[in-house]
Amino acid sequence: MVPRLFPLIETGQKTSTIRWRETRIEPGYMRYVCDGEATKTAIVWVVRCTDLPLSQAAAFVGREADWPKDVMLEGMREHYPEIEWTDVVQIVEHLTPAETAGRPDFPA
């Protein structure tokens, strides 16, 4: 995870991520690692993974007002320079790190 977004993961403000042409994520435990600081991690419980066109992603996660087309494309192209509006992405939704730590099967 890029350093500017990592604090949002830690505080629970960011509970989803959008991926394109990367290793598929499946529901279960997932570890975020902060780019440039490999010791800075956060464990979350992935509850759902959904494939859909990038054009539908903002509405799907309830951020349509925050991410109009130009903003969404610009943000995604920071990570994926060749992504297009019609490309299918994987939306990964997860619990906050605090919620995840409260799971009865949380690894010690």
Side-chain angles (χ1 to χ4, degrees):
M1 179 61 55
V2 294
R4 70 179 171 78
L5 295 177
F6 197 80
L8 300 177
I9 297 290
E10 292 176 306
T11 61
Q13 293 174 284
K14 181 172 173 54
T15 57
S16 65
T17 189
I18 302 171
R19 300 166 53 90
W20 182 62
R21 294 186 176 171
E22 292 195 46
T23 303
R24 292 199 54 79
I25 300 296
E26 298 295 334
Y29 285 108
M30 180 176 80
R31 179 185 312 269
Y32 278 105
V33 178
C34 184
D35 283 349
E37 291 186 60
T39 59
K40 197 172 191 179
T41 64
I43 298 174
V44 297
W45 179 260
V46 174
V47 295
R48 180 168 62 165
C49 301
T50 306
D51 295 327
L52 50 91
L54 179 61
S55 61
Q56 297 174 21
F60 185 82
V61 297
R63 302 285 307 268
E64 197 167 22
D66 301 324
W67 296 339
K69 180 179 180 177
D70 59 331
V71 172
M72 173 67 95
L73 269 174
E74 181 181 335
M76 291 299 291
R77 286 181 175 160
E78 284 181 46
H79 308 288
Y80 311 109
E82 297 177 11
I83 197 168
E84 296 294 336
W85 191 237
T86 55
D87 286 331
V88 173
V89 296
Q90 182 185 37
I91 298 177
V92 178
E93 298 172 276
H94 56 78
L95 300 180
T96 68
E99 291 168 331
T100 300
R103 289 181 50 86
D105 64 341
F106 186 76

